[in-house]
Amino acid sequence: MPPTQVAVCGPRDCTDADAANARNIGRLLAEAGATVLCGGGHGVMAAVAEGASAAGGLVIGVRPDTDPDGICDGLSAVLYTNMGEARNAILVWSADAVIIVGGSWGTLSELALANRRGGVPVITLGGWQIRDAEDNPVEAAIVASSPEAAVRIALAEA
């Protein structure tokens, strides 16, 4: 069986707390032997790559462009898609589980694409909470209380 691939998605402009959570998630995934997939840029993407690579993990960056100057440190390999935000679909469809850290419009699209895809666990840590037209919560992801919980759920459900 191939190693588990976990996409970690989050904003380019993230909070310090989101970066710390992403760094811990990356480390925990690497320690568990999972391959980390991310956008390969700044913010949450850089933090998860930093955490995973520091722990000796394999980190694949799926970039929206072809600019090698835009990538973050810690990537083992880079896929330059030149597809803009359409790369979000590639990222989500390549994963056995998706962890969302924090929230931005791009991150919301990854959450939506992961749910639209179906068949993979979607976990959120400090991310989007979706409500329907009657203001009822929509279960778009499993809510994790910590990086450890997010990784535990992702690996157990993948």
Side-chain angles (χ1 to χ4, degrees):
M1 183 170 154
T4 302
Q5 298 189 156
V6 179
V8 181
C9 306
R12 164 185 32 225
D13 298 316
C14 69
T15 66
D16 291 342
D18 288 341
N21 285 334
R23 208 171 286 109
N24 285 331
I25 287 169
R27 177 183 54 79
L28 293 165
L29 287 170
E31 289 172 352
T35 298
V36 174
L37 308 175
C38 70
H42 303 288
V44 164
M45 299 170 278
V48 74
E50 178 186 336
S53 65
L58 179 62
V59 186
I60 309 298
V62 182
R63 296 294 300 146
D65 53 28
T66 59
D67 181 7
D69 293 332
I71 67 169
C72 63
D73 293 333
L75 299 176
S76 307
V78 181
L79 301 176
Y80 294 103
T81 68
N82 203 31
M83 296 179 70
E85 289 184 359
R87 68 80 190 257
N88 294 353
I90 295 168
L91 183 61
V92 166
W93 275 93
S94 298
D96 300 308
V98 177
I99 299 175
I100 306 290
V101 180
S104 67
W105 291 115
T107 307
L108 180 59
S109 78
E110 290 161 329
L111 174 67
L113 288 166
N115 277 281
R116 177 77 172 149
R117 172 191 171 184
V120 296
V122 181
I123 301 96
T124 185
L125 179 61
W128 286 95
Q129 305 216 352
I130 312 298
R131 303 185 84 70
D132 68 14
E134 284 85 38
D135 202 31
N136 298 307
V138 174
E139 294 204 22
I142 301 165
V143 177
S145 58
S146 67
E148 294 80 8
V151 170
R152 184 174 51 254
I153 295 164
L155 296 178
E157 302 279 331

